[in-house]
Amino acid sequence: MATPYRHWEILERSRTGKFLDENDFLPKVFSPTLKKLIKKYDIKYDPKTPCPSDEGMADRIWQAAWDLFRDVGYYNTDSHRIIEIADAEIKEALYMAQGQYTVGGGREARVMKHRSIEDTQPPFCIMSPDITVDEKYHQSMCMAYLKEPLLDGLCGPILEETFGHLIESGGPSEISGCIQHIQNQKMAARLLGRPGVFMVAVGTAEHDSGQIAVSNNEWGVQTTDARLVGSLTEFKTADTLLNRSLHYAQYGSFTGNLTGAIYGGWCGGSEGTAITTVAYSLIGLVIHGAMFNQHFPFHLNYGSNTTRELLWSIAMAGQALSRNSKLLYTSNGFANAGPMTEMLFRETAAHALVSTVTSWQLWEMASTRNKYRNRATPLEARLGCEVGHAVARQGMTREQANEIANRLLAKYENNAADAPMGCEYHECYNAAKAVPTVEHMDMFRRIKDEIAEMGVEFLY
Amino acid sequence: MSLEKLCKLIEDGDAVEAKIVTGELLNKGVDPLKMIDSLTKTMAHVGELFAKLEIFLPEIMLSGEALSAAVDVLAPYLDATGGREVKGKVVLGVVKGDLHEIGKNIVKLILETNGFIVKDLGYNVDPLIFVKEAEAMEADFIASSSLMTTTMPRQLEIIEILKSKGIRDKYKVVIGGAPTSQMWADKIGADLYCYDAKSAPELFSAALAGK
Ligand code: B12
């Protein structure tokens, strides 16, 4: 990992850095600095190209992101102080970063490798519903995802209850829920014959104690797995978060840096969202010692990232990161529509297509604005990952991807605000067998044919 | 100097100039009540632009600050004429165990720009703190945000503490946040549930008026 050797120095800066009232940090420091940088580096959003190919602008976004992190720093809300980082430290961390890691264990071990723009190497595919499920469907859903052939890693559904007890954040029920979560997931992997499969776990842990409780190579989250540490939007952290990154490093598992820059919020528009996303990758590397960055920029009102203003940010951030670093970063899709709707399949395809050609690894797919229990299934993730593999293999260019993205957008973007909610998992999957219903599969095939017709060359 | 110019300054979020121009207009004898009326309309317009994301959070924040700067200058005149309407006093925070603060911040902004006084308690706030702060501020509303099913029980605890202290009816208890619902509000006996920030000012006012 890149920076555990600096962890202590960084933690100390939480105590010794410049004092600032939290209320002033975003309006007086973050947003004005970002605004100036957008102007200085002449970053401009163009709604006509959801998948742009302006490499000069990509490099300027990289520079702006670097300046943003160095000039603004990272705010610790517990100490009310700013962790500041110098240019040389960013350079050192980037030099030390590895362009690839082997994750997962035994036969299921996989390499996650930095991708170039329009790379023909397929993206690393992490699948996740990103959502909570009823306890009775938890294991079934884990199974259903693990049955996906293209899955390289699993981030399982989140539990709200454990043996009938409501899980309460920070309390004992959370510790139990976290153990149940990882054991369900590991058991599903063993039953399916993929015991070593890479996992990002556990989402049920809302508190650092929940994460720490499941670190165990015999029965819990293994050192071949990864865990996430979030940032408080934007550019803020807290001791409970720093506790996680320190623990992950000390335990020896992989760290993923979880961030969702918000379009319409403190970042402003598409330009600021792209710059902030890139800057978060530097934060992940330097502050949290992250092996990969898990980005889900999203629209403040819709809670999605499949409309053109967000696709643009994703495409530009990917190109900036690819051209200027060897970092690893997953693009986490957030759709407006719910499971078993044509709209969700189209949204997922557009997200995966644009992300893949602009160098991202894939993390598919949060459905229904990531808001409603049981509303996500592996089938949309399958479509996203099949699209990702196909467009990489055929060497699709950004121009082609842009054209297809525009055609897909034309079919759904007007419905972003009032997207259909679709079904719950057990309504479009046979939960006992963890397989999609016939009707669901039919819709999948129909939309896949439609996308193939647009120029995506699926192998099967 | 015209009232239109002042409104434009509010829209552009220029607090420094807005303050100066407000003073000038007062000196010229423009009616402070008329001024506050125009400014409120401007802010409502800014709010609409933000709701459609034609402008973004930093811009509406600046407009809010410019409005506050102008209202500060007007305050002594308005208080004299009884024209400064405070629609209600609110303590607002995200419940204990929950770090999701974005929604709460937007609610704060929308309430403030619509004439409510808001005491922001931040996030990860103990239920008892909500109650103590409400007492200290003599608030009308105790409003809490929860973004996780695992922290929703803290909203119920606020109500239980109020009952234990025998002061349940002194406050309107409001809840919000993505996983919460009217059903949850009914279940825990909250006075009001808001689906989003946009609808909050009107619903708060209606709740206070007992509608
Ligand atoms: C952004 C986000 C994060 C960010 C938060 C950054 C921050 N500083 O706020 C980060 C990355 C840090 C994060 C962390 C986590 N998150 Co999170 N996150 C989200 C996400 C995607 C969006 C939330 C958001 O900001 N929306 C935008 C705002 C504008 O909308 P809003 O909050 O709903 O507010 C609006 C209305 O609800 C209303 N409103 C809100 N509050 C109030 C209050 C009142 C009084 C009123 C009147 C109105 C009102 O007005 C607002 C504007 O209209 C949600 C999913 C979702 N769709 O909600 C998950 C979600 C909330 N997270 C979730 C989880 C599980 C986590 C983690 C545990 C992940 C992990 N394993 O580490 C941690 C928990 C950390 C903690 N202890 O709190 C789950 C919760 C599941 C559950 N149990 O219910 C969700 C629901 C995702 C999911 N579907 O599974 N997350």
Side-chain angles (χ1 to χ4, degrees):
Chain A
M1 244 171 282
T3 55
Y5 52 82
R6 293 276 176 255
H7 243 128
W8 292 103
E9 284 69 25
I10 293 197
L11 293 179
E12 190 173 26
R13 273 175 229 176
S14 267
R15 306 287 151 209
T16 57
K18 196 164 76 201
F19 168 83
L20 187 73
D21 187 326
E22 187 178 347
N23 291 337
D24 292 338
F25 179 67
L26 289 165
K28 301 224 166 103
V29 181
F30 176 84
S31 289
T33 308
L34 179 54
K35 217 170 181 172
K36 265 188 232 140
L37 290 169
I38 293 170
K39 208 160 166 203
K40 175 175 170 193
Y41 288 105
D42 191 27
I43 313 299
K44 282 204 185 87
Y45 165 60
D46 171 15
K48 287 195 294 297
T49 49
C51 186
S53 34
D54 184 339
E55 298 189 344
M57 182 151 52
D59 292 347
R60 297 199 302 280
I61 286 179
W62 169 262
Q63 204 49 56
W66 183 303
D67 290 7
L68 183 70
F69 177 33
R70 185 202 50 219
D71 294 349
V72 169
Y74 197 46
Y75 187 86
N76 184 335
T77 57
D78 281 310
S79 63
H80 311 283
R81 290 183 187 275
I82 296 177
I83 300 170
E84 283 182 319
I85 302 292
D87 279 329
E89 290 171 307
I90 304 177
K91 285 185 190 158
E92 179 193 58
L94 283 168
Y95 179 69
M96 295 305 295
Q98 283 174 224
Q100 66 176 68
Y101 284 92
T102 303
V103 296
R107 199 186 57 220
E108 293 295 319
R110 294 273 197 284
V111 176
M112 195 197 288
K113 187 162 179 255
H114 176 81
R115 298 183 68 243
S116 55
I117 299 165
E118 297 171 9
D119 204 329
T120 51
Q121 155 196 242
F124 190 93
C125 292
I126 298 178
M127 295 193 190
S128 174
D130 290 331
I131 197 86
T132 59
V133 284
D134 290 348
E135 192 180 353
K136 61 176 184 275
Y137 300 129
H138 189 260
Q139 197 161 44
S140 164
M141 202 190 255
C142 290
M143 287 260 186
Y145 276 93
L146 285 160
K147 285 185 182 180
E148 287 302 326
L150 294 181
L151 175 142
D152 295 311
L154 167 70
C155 179
I158 298 165
L159 283 166
E160 291 183 11
E161 289 184 338
T162 178
F163 287 89
H165 294 276
L166 181 70
I167 296 175
E168 296 198 34
S169 176
S173 55
E174 182 181 325
I175 306 266
S176 298
C178 289
I179 292 177
Q180 187 186 0
H181 177 147
I182 191 62
Q183 297 221 331
N184 276 352
Q185 218 166 284
K186 291 280 175 185
M187 181 160 115
R190 179 159 299 278
L191 287 172
L192 275 168
R194 305 182 76 175
V197 72
F198 175 57
M199 294 185 179
V200 184
V202 292
T204 301
E206 283 155 13
H207 218 259
D208 46 16
S209 52
Q211 285 291 1
I212 293 167
V214 291
S215 296
N216 190 299
N217 263 319
E218 275 164 40
W219 53 260
V221 179
Q222 294 165 290
T223 40
T224 49
D225 294 324
R227 15 263 298 255
L228 297 174
V229 53
S231 277
L232 302 173
T233 317
E234 308 294 351
F235 274 44
K236 296 193 289 183
T237 188
D239 284 345
T240 174
L241 297 167
L242 294 170
N243 287 349
R244 285 168 231 226
S245 46
L246 184 67
H247 170 72
Y248 303 160
Q250 290 175 335
Y251 174 56
S253 53
F254 297 102
T255 300
N257 177 42
L258 172 72
T259 76
I262 302 187
Y263 171 92
W266 295 109
C267 301
S270 301
E271 300 88 345
T273 307
I275 295 170
T276 305
T277 299
V278 174
Y280 270 132
S281 288
L282 296 175
I283 289 179
L285 176 72
V286 179
I287 307 266
H288 297 295
M291 164 221 153
F292 73 105
N293 287 280
Q294 152 48 0
H295 295 302
F296 62 103
F298 69 94
H299 187 285
L300 179 69
N301 288 352
Y302 304 152
S304 71
N305 59 20
T306 56
T307 52
R308 64 181 65 239
E309 51 283 58
L310 270 299
L311 291 177
W312 187 94
S313 304
I314 292 167
M316 286 312 298
Q319 294 177 69
L321 284 161
S322 180
R323 288 175 53 80
N324 294 282
S325 78
K326 47 190 175 185
L327 294 177
L328 301 169
Y329 35 95
T330 52
S331 182
N332 184 184
F334 269 48
N336 299 288
M340 203 165 85
T341 62
E342 294 183 344
M343 179 165 168
L344 172 58
F345 285 127
R346 292 187 184 115
E347 287 183 88
T348 309
H351 177 266
L353 173 96
V354 170
S355 300
T356 304
V357 298
T358 56
S359 83
W360 292 84
Q361 321 289 343
L362 293 180
W363 180 302
E364 306 291 0
M365 178 76 191
S367 315
T368 341
R369 311 186 199 288
N370 186 225
K371 231 177 177 168
Y372 302 96
R373 196 195 314 189
N374 302 336
R375 280 185 204 270
T377 81
L379 213 50
E380 53 268 22
R382 183 189 302 180
L383 185 71
C385 296
E386 287 192 0
V387 167
H389 272 253
V391 301
R393 253 201 18 260
Q394 76 189 80
M396 187 180 280
T397 63
R398 284 160 290 178
E399 287 76 11
Q400 286 169 301
N402 187 60
E403 195 218 308
I404 300 176
N406 267 325
R407 288 174 68 186
L408 285 164
L409 280 161
K411 288 183 179 268
Y412 69 76
E413 65 185 332
N414 289 338
N415 300 105
D418 55 3
M421 300 238 321
C423 301
E424 295 192 24
Y425 169 70
H426 54 283
E427 294 165 337
C428 55
Y429 258 69
N430 174 339
K433 293 196 168 158
V435 291
T437 61
V438 175
E439 192 190 355
H440 199 181
M441 268 317 288
D442 284 349
M443 183 185 282
F444 170 87
R445 287 209 189 89
R446 202 166 61 243
I447 302 298
K448 194 170 151 183
D449 287 346
E450 177 188 303
I451 294 163
E453 217 140 89
M454 292 180 183
V456 176
E457 296 165 13
F458 295 106
L459 250 194
Y460 47 89
Chain B
M1 282 312 125
S2 66
L3 194 47
E4 288 74 57
K5 173 160 183 216
L6 178 59
C7 292
K8 179 85 179 52
L9 288 170
I10 303 292
E11 200 173 331
D12 294 345
D14 190 338
V16 177
E17 274 296 305
K19 196 169 173 170
I20 298 170
V21 172
T22 309
E24 287 171 5
L25 290 174
L26 275 175
N27 286 340
K28 271 173 59 184
V30 180
D31 177 5
L33 279 179
K34 195 174 149 209
M35 283 167 70
I36 204 80
D37 188 50
S38 301
L39 295 183
T40 310
K41 280 190 189 126
T42 302
M43 203 58 216
H45 169 64
V46 172
E48 273 163 33
L49 293 178
F50 176 62
K52 289 185 273 179
L53 285 193
E54 283 171 24
I55 60 164
F56 304 122
L57 189 58
E59 283 90 51
I60 189 179
M61 273 297 277
L62 289 175
S63 291
E65 276 172 27
L67 177 69
S68 303
V71 171
D72 282 349
V73 179
L74 292 175
Y77 300 85
L78 294 171
D79 290 343
T81 55
R84 190 191 194 190
E85 192 198 359
V86 173
K87 293 195 184 145
K89 289 196 274 180
V90 187
V91 294
L92 174 70
V94 180
V95 296
K96 193 169 159 184
D98 210 319
L99 307 176
H100 296 88
E101 58 161 344
I102 304 150
K104 181 267 297 170
N105 291 345
I106 292 172
V107 173
K108 176 185 179 208
L109 190 78
I110 300 290
L111 286 175
E112 281 183 341
T113 50
N114 279 282
F116 290 83
I117 296 181
V118 181
K119 169 101 205 243
D120 182 1
L121 306 179
Y123 48 86
N124 195 17
V125 181
D126 192 292
L128 184 57
I129 300 289
F130 278 92
V131 176
K132 284 189 173 168
E133 291 287 345
E135 288 183 290
M137 165 190 211
E138 298 186 342
D140 303 300
F141 298 93
I142 299 181
S144 65
S145 176
S146 161
L147 261 287
M148 302 193 290
T149 52
T150 54
T151 57
M152 281 162 57
R154 306 288 90 76
Q155 295 182 319
L156 167 62
E157 278 170 30
I158 294 175
I159 295 175
E160 283 172 342
I161 292 174
L162 288 173
K163 283 185 184 157
S164 303
K165 293 183 98 171
I167 51 175
R168 171 64 187 88
D169 295 333
K170 271 181 79 178
Y171 308 98
K172 298 281 177 207
V173 177
V174 190
I175 62 157
T180 65
S181 59
Q182 185 59 51
M183 217 162 81
W184 176 241
D186 294 342
K187 187 167 173 193
I188 64 173
D191 300 298
L192 179 63
Y193 158 71
C194 297
Y195 173 75
D196 58 15
K198 255 194 330 255
S199 61
E202 220 166 281
L203 293 172
F204 273 56
S205 294
L208 204 57
K211 282 176 213 152

